[in-house]
Amino acid sequence: MAQAAESGKSDTKTPTSAGDETQPKSYSDLVSTLPARRGWVSLVQYQNYWLNPGRLQHIIPIKELYKPRADDIIVATYLKCGTTWLKALAFAITTRHAFAADAGDGGHPLLTVHPQEAVPHLEVHTPGQGLANIEKLPSPRLLGTHLPLSLLPPAVVSTCRVVYLCRQPKDVFVSLWHFVKGMRGGRSPVEMDAALSMFCEGVSPFGPVWEHYLEYWKESLARPEQVLFMRYEEMVSDPVRAVKTLADFFAVPFTEEEERAGVPEEIVRLCSFETLSGMENNRTGDLDCGDNTVIGKSTFFRKGKVGDWENHMTKEMGKKVDDVFQDKLKGSGLVF
């Protein structure tokens, strides 16, 4: 399997389409040679990670064609680790001088625009997004990604700021399970225990999850000024502190006057699960996520609760996840 993935790596050297270097060529021949797995989702293995075969053609070129800028900010997450919340917070923090968080009557973009649309994703290719459009964005750019660090350009961690948000793996699995079911109209091709077995093997979108976590964790230890590693549970327990931490890391700290005026608290309120999930714009309609994937906007807002796995998994299932992650993260200093 590893050999097949490596052979795929060499195949990506073929030139891109003439006229626009940011337009991905077809990688269908490469995809057909990669190890594949079917189950709760269909995936192929590329450079040790399991990825959506349709999206792979937009993922492979990123390492070569995305040109990090010194003032780029990247919000990176594994799936269902609080991506929508982190995008909203990062957007509200970095644009607060243009848009006041307490602006009423639709005055703030997040009151009318879904957070997933407010912050473009590097690997999502839709009208208005994708590498070609990202390269045209003025600086400073706020970008999102689910990609592991190894599939991004090496210059990312030495050039721009990266904030990574992780989450308790058991809650990640449950949230991902429901998200996939939501995309399929409430159905899944396999039972939860079968999906969990694949998850614990590392066979999940953008997985193995532990490798995804470890890549950013290790880089955060080596380059703390460039990579900020955060935990979802800690953000939930003290969101105001998290907002201040993010602002400091983004090099746009709150002034004393802003803190006295309660600006961090206003940002927390604006970006809260209750506020965002209650917006009509986020309750209805769909998001074009590229590669013939359309997801209902409300699907991105389920519960956001810490420890919700206990309502869906047995203790034995939870122990299975704990045992896997304890083994895979052993000696790294990262524990759950």
Side-chain angles (χ1 to χ4, degrees), residues 173-197:
F173 170 75
V174 167
S175 185
L176 183 57
W177 164 255
H178 283 284
F179 187 76
V180 171
K181 283 183 64 178
M183 290 173 59
R184 295 172 176 268
R187 300 180 302 276
S188 175
V190 298
E191 296 299 322
M192 178 181 274
D193 57 351
L196 182 65
S197 292

Short mmCIF file of all heavy atoms in Angstrom, two decimals, residues 173-197:
data_model
loop_
_atom_site.label_atom_id
_atom_site.label_comp_id
_atom_site.label_asym_id
_atom_site.label_seq_id
_atom_site.Cartn_x
_atom_site.Cartn_y
_atom_site.Cartn_z
N PHE A 173 -15.39 11.13 16.08
CA PHE A 173 -16.01 10.03 15.34
C PHE A 173 -17.53 10.17 15.30
O PHE A 173 -18.15 10.03 14.24
CB PHE A 173 -15.64 8.68 15.95
CG PHE A 173 -16.45 7.56 15.37
CD1 PHE A 173 -16.20 7.09 14.09
CD2 PHE A 173 -17.51 7.00 16.08
CE1 PHE A 173 -16.98 6.09 13.53
CE2 PHE A 173 -18.29 6.00 15.53
CZ PHE A 173 -18.02 5.53 14.25
N VAL A 174 -18.13 10.44 16.45
CA VAL A 174 -19.60 10.54 16.50
C VAL A 174 -20.09 11.68 15.62
O VAL A 174 -21.05 11.54 14.86
CB VAL A 174 -20.08 10.73 17.96
CG1 VAL A 174 -21.55 11.15 17.99
CG2 VAL A 174 -19.89 9.44 18.75
N SER A 175 -19.41 12.82 15.69
CA SER A 175 -19.81 13.97 14.88
C SER A 175 -19.64 13.66 13.39
O SER A 175 -20.49 14.01 12.57
CB SER A 175 -18.98 15.19 15.26
OG SER A 175 -19.43 16.34 14.57
N LEU A 176 -18.53 12.99 13.04
CA LEU A 176 -18.28 12.64 11.64
C LEU A 176 -19.30 11.62 11.15
O LEU A 176 -19.79 11.70 10.01
CB LEU A 176 -16.86 12.09 11.50
CG LEU A 176 -16.38 11.73 10.09
CD1 LEU A 176 -16.47 12.93 9.16
CD2 LEU A 176 -14.94 11.21 10.15
N TRP A 177 -19.64 10.67 12.00
CA TRP A 177 -20.64 9.65 11.65
C TRP A 177 -21.98 10.31 11.31
O TRP A 177 -22.59 10.00 10.28
CB TRP A 177 -20.79 8.69 12.82
CG TRP A 177 -22.01 7.81 12.80
CD1 TRP A 177 -23.14 7.96 13.57
CD2 TRP A 177 -22.23 6.66 11.99
NE1 TRP A 177 -24.04 6.96 13.29
CE2 TRP A 177 -23.51 6.15 12.32
CE3 TRP A 177 -21.48 6.01 11.01
CZ2 TRP A 177 -24.05 5.04 11.70
CZ3 TRP A 177 -22.03 4.89 10.40
CH2 TRP A 177 -23.30 4.41 10.74
N HIS A 178 -22.40 11.24 12.14
CA HIS A 178 -23.68 11.92 11.89
C HIS A 178 -23.58 12.85 10.68
O HIS A 178 -24.56 13.01 9.94
CB HIS A 178 -24.12 12.69 13.13
CG HIS A 178 -24.69 11.83 14.21
ND1 HIS A 178 -25.96 11.30 14.14
CD2 HIS A 178 -24.16 11.38 15.38
CE1 HIS A 178 -26.20 10.57 15.21
NE2 HIS A 178 -25.13 10.60 15.98
N PHE A 179 -22.43 13.45 10.47
CA PHE A 179 -22.24 14.34 9.33
C PHE A 179 -22.36 13.55 8.02
O PHE A 179 -23.05 13.98 7.09
CB PHE A 179 -20.86 15.01 9.41
CG PHE A 179 -20.63 16.07 8.38
CD1 PHE A 179 -21.21 17.33 8.49
CD2 PHE A 179 -19.80 15.83 7.28
CE1 PHE A 179 -20.98 18.32 7.54
CE2 PHE A 179 -19.57 16.80 6.33
CZ PHE A 179 -20.16 18.05 6.46
N VAL A 180 -21.70 12.41 7.96
CA VAL A 180 -21.77 11.57 6.76
C VAL A 180 -23.20 11.09 6.53
O VAL A 180 -23.71 11.09 5.40
CB VAL A 180 -20.80 10.37 6.87
CG1 VAL A 180 -21.04 9.37 5.74
CG2 VAL A 180 -19.36 10.85 6.86
N LYS A 181 -23.88 10.69 7.60
CA LYS A 181 -25.28 10.28 7.47
C LYS A 181 -26.13 11.43 6.97
O LYS A 181 -27.02 11.24 6.13
CB LYS A 181 -25.81 9.79 8.82
CG LYS A 181 -25.35 8.40 9.21
CD LYS A 181 -25.97 7.96 10.53
CE LYS A 181 -27.46 7.83 10.43
NZ LYS A 181 -28.07 7.37 11.69
N GLY A 182 -25.86 12.65 7.48
CA GLY A 182 -26.61 13.81 7.05
C GLY A 182 -26.43 14.09 5.57
O GLY A 182 -27.38 14.50 4.87
N MET A 183 -25.22 13.87 5.07
CA MET A 183 -24.95 14.07 3.65
C MET A 183 -25.69 13.03 2.81
O MET A 183 -25.98 13.27 1.63
CB MET A 183 -23.44 13.95 3.39
CG MET A 183 -22.62 15.09 3.94
SD MET A 183 -20.84 14.79 3.77
CE MET A 183 -20.69 14.59 1.99
N ARG A 184 -26.01 11.88 3.40
CA ARG A 184 -26.68 10.80 2.68
C ARG A 184 -28.16 10.73 3.01
O ARG A 184 -28.79 9.68 2.88
CB ARG A 184 -26.01 9.46 3.02
CG ARG A 184 -24.56 9.35 2.55
CD ARG A 184 -23.92 8.09 3.10
NE ARG A 184 -22.57 7.90 2.60
CZ ARG A 184 -22.26 7.20 1.52
NH1 ARG A 184 -23.21 6.64 0.80
NH2 ARG A 184 -21.00 7.07 1.14
N GLY A 185 -28.71 11.80 3.50
CA GLY A 185 -30.14 11.82 3.79
C GLY A 185 -30.51 11.02 5.02
O GLY A 185 -31.63 10.48 5.11
N GLY A 186 -29.57 10.89 5.99
CA GLY A 186 -29.87 10.18 7.22
C GLY A 186 -29.58 8.70 7.16
O GLY A 186 -29.95 7.96 8.08
N ARG A 187 -28.92 8.25 6.09
CA ARG A 187 -28.61 6.83 5.95
C ARG A 187 -27.10 6.62 5.88
O ARG A 187 -26.35 7.52 5.53
CB ARG A 187 -29.24 6.26 4.68
CG ARG A 187 -30.76 6.38 4.64
CD ARG A 187 -31.32 5.81 3.35
NE ARG A 187 -30.76 6.48 2.18
CZ ARG A 187 -31.23 7.62 1.69
NH1 ARG A 187 -32.26 8.22 2.27
NH2 ARG A 187 -30.68 8.16 0.63
N SER A 188 -26.66 5.41 6.22
CA SER A 188 -25.26 5.05 6.09
C SER A 188 -25.17 3.65 5.52
O SER A 188 -26.00 2.79 5.86
CB SER A 188 -24.55 5.09 7.45
OG SER A 188 -23.22 4.64 7.34
N PRO A 189 -24.19 3.38 4.65
CA PRO A 189 -24.08 2.04 4.05
C PRO A 189 -23.58 0.98 5.03
O PRO A 189 -23.68 -0.21 4.73
CB PRO A 189 -23.07 2.25 2.92
CG PRO A 189 -22.26 3.43 3.34
CD PRO A 189 -23.22 4.31 4.09
N VAL A 190 -23.05 1.38 6.18
CA VAL A 190 -22.58 0.40 7.17
C VAL A 190 -23.07 0.81 8.56
O VAL A 190 -23.44 1.96 8.78
CB VAL A 190 -21.03 0.31 7.19
CG1 VAL A 190 -20.51 -0.17 5.84
CG2 VAL A 190 -20.39 1.64 7.57
N GLU A 191 -23.05 -0.14 9.49
CA GLU A 191 -23.43 0.16 10.86
C GLU A 191 -22.33 0.94 11.56
O GLU A 191 -21.17 0.95 11.12
CB GLU A 191 -23.69 -1.15 11.62
CG GLU A 191 -24.86 -1.97 11.08
CD GLU A 191 -26.18 -1.22 11.17
OE1 GLU A 191 -26.38 -0.49 12.18
OE2 GLU A 191 -27.00 -1.35 10.24
N MET A 192 -22.67 1.57 12.68
CA MET A 192 -21.71 2.41 13.38
C MET A 192 -20.48 1.63 13.83
O MET A 192 -19.36 2.14 13.74
CB MET A 192 -22.36 3.09 14.59
CG MET A 192 -21.38 3.95 15.38
SD MET A 192 -22.09 4.76 16.84
CE MET A 192 -22.75 6.25 16.10
N ASP A 193 -20.66 0.40 14.30
CA ASP A 193 -19.50 -0.34 14.79
C ASP A 193 -18.53 -0.67 13.66
O ASP A 193 -17.31 -0.70 13.86
CB ASP A 193 -19.93 -1.60 15.54
CG ASP A 193 -20.79 -2.53 14.70
OD1 ASP A 193 -21.21 -2.14 13.60
OD2 ASP A 193 -21.06 -3.65 15.16
N ALA A 194 -19.04 -0.89 12.45
CA ALA A 194 -18.17 -1.14 11.30
C ALA A 194 -17.42 0.13 10.92
O ALA A 194 -16.22 0.09 10.60
CB ALA A 194 -18.98 -1.64 10.11
N ALA A 195 -18.11 1.26 10.96
CA ALA A 195 -17.46 2.54 10.67
C ALA A 195 -16.39 2.84 11.71
O ALA A 195 -15.31 3.34 11.39
CB ALA A 195 -18.49 3.66 10.63
N LEU A 196 -16.68 2.50 12.97
CA LEU A 196 -15.72 2.74 14.05
C LEU A 196 -14.46 1.90 13.85
O LEU A 196 -13.35 2.37 14.10
CB LEU A 196 -16.35 2.43 15.41
CG LEU A 196 -15.44 2.69 16.62
CD1 LEU A 196 -15.13 4.18 16.74
CD2 LEU A 196 -16.08 2.19 17.90
N SER A 197 -14.62 0.67 13.41
CA SER A 197 -13.46 -0.18 13.15
C SER A 197 -12.56 0.43 12.09
O SER A 197 -11.33 0.43 12.22
CB SER A 197 -13.92 -1.58 12.72
OG SER A 197 -14.56 -2.25 13.80
#
